[in-house]
Amino acid sequence: MSKTVVDVIWAAVGPLLPRGSEGRPLGCHRPRVCDRLCLRGIIIRLVTGCSWESVECLLDGEVSDTTLRSRRDEWAAAGANRNDIMLFEPTIAEIERRGLHHDIDTVHLDRGYIGARVDRAARKAGVTDIVRPHKRKPSSGPAEPAPAPLGLRWTVERTNSWLSNYGQLRRNTDRKPEHRLAQFALAITLIITIKLIDHRDRWQPHLPPIR
C-alpha cells in the first residue's frame, strides 16, 4: 500500500482515535505501541490477507499480533454507530477551502443525508444539484421484482473487482461480524482515498495511478 494513501488516512483518523495510556504500572512493561504503526499493520493484513503473525514479521516485530488484535477491537468499539450526516458539513467545507468545489457538478447522496443541515452546507459551497433516492410508496399488492437497469451493471462489477483486490476480503478468516464489517469499511475508505488522490494528480502525467 502506497505511503501516500496511509499518510492521508492517518491524517483523517489519527485525531479521532481514543488515546490510550502511554505509561505502564511500575514502569515494568514496554511503552504502548504507537497507533500509526498499528494502523499500518491492520492495512497490511487487509491488503495481503496474511495472518496477524505474518504482519508482526513484516513489521520486524515492532508490534505483536496480540497488540494488533486488541488495537483493532479498541478502535472498532470507539468508532461504531456514528452518524455519517455529521461529517457532510466539515467535508464540504474542506472541499470549498481547497477550491475543489468548482469541479463539482452533481452530488449523489443516499437517504441518510436528508435534512436542512446538508442542504445549507451544500448551498454555501455553491452546490445546488443534489441527487437522492426517491422514497418508495407503499404498495397494497404483492411486491414485484424491479427490472435491472440495462447498462448500469458495470458499476456493480467494477466495485466488486475493487473489493476483491483486498486479500482479507477474498478469504476472510475472522469469525466475528463486527471484525468483518470493520475490514469492509476500511477497504471502502482505501478505495475512495486512492480514487481521490488519482483525481488530484490527473494533470500530472509523471505521477502514475496508485495501485
Side-chain angles (χ1 to χ4, degrees):
M1 178 57 60
S2 167
K3 182 179 181 298
T4 302
V5 176
V6 177
D7 289 344
V8 170
I9 293 178
W10 173 252
V13 306
L16 305 177
L17 296 177
R19 297 303 176 193
S21 174
E22 296 296 334
R24 291 294 183 267
L26 304 179
C28 56
H29 297 286
R30 293 190 304 173
R32 176 182 170 93
V33 179
C34 71
D35 288 337
R36 185 187 178 100
L37 180 61
C38 291
L39 176 63
R40 183 183 168 202
I42 291 172
I43 291 176
I44 288 175
R45 182 172 182 262
L46 172 64
V47 173
T48 64
C50 66
S51 66
W52 290 114
E53 292 79 5
S54 298
V55 175
E56 179 180 351
C57 294
L58 290 171
L59 294 177
D60 298 324
E62 294 184 51
V63 56
S64 69
D65 61 291
T66 302
T67 298
L68 289 171
R69 288 189 181 95
S70 62
R71 204 67 58 90
R72 172 203 58 188
D73 295 343
E74 179 184 333
W75 294 346
N81 301 320
R82 291 177 181 263
N83 195 326
D84 290 343
I85 196 173
M86 304 301 293
L87 297 175
F88 181 82
E89 189 171 359
T91 299
I92 202 73
E94 180 65 14
I95 290 173
E96 184 180 12
R97 186 186 70 83
R98 298 190 179 195
L100 301 176
H101 58 295
H102 299 296
D103 296 336
I104 299 177
D105 296 323
T106 304
V107 174
H108 295 266
L109 302 174
D110 60 28
R111 294 188 182 93
Y113 292 91
I114 295 177
R117 181 173 186 169
V118 171
D119 294 339
R120 284 196 303 269
R123 285 196 302 269
K124 183 180 178 182
V127 178
T128 57
D129 189 7
I130 301 178
V131 177
R132 298 184 179 96
H134 295 290
K135 187 175 182 181
R136 296 180 180 178
K137 296 182 180 179
S139 176
S140 57
E144 297 182 359
L150 297 177
L152 298 181
R153 180 70 185 176
W154 71 273
T155 58
V156 177
E157 300 297 341
R158 175 200 61 188
T159 305
N160 287 337
S161 176
W162 289 341
L163 291 172
S164 66
N165 287 329
Y166 294 88
Q168 194 58 32
L169 298 184
R170 289 196 303 268
R171 47 186 181 280
N172 203 306
T173 56
D174 286 334
R175 299 176 182 177
K176 295 184 179 180
E178 56 266 30
H179 293 160
R180 299 191 174 199
L181 289 174
Q183 292 166 3
F184 186 76
L186 181 56
I188 294 295
T189 302
L190 290 171
I191 290 172
I192 294 174
T193 302
I194 290 170
K195 297 304 176 185
L196 289 174
I197 293 175
D198 284 343
H199 181 76
R200 180 199 65 185
D201 298 337
R202 66 192 184 281
W203 304 120
Q204 303 183 46
H206 63 284
L207 296 176
I210 297 175
R211 294 289 181 257

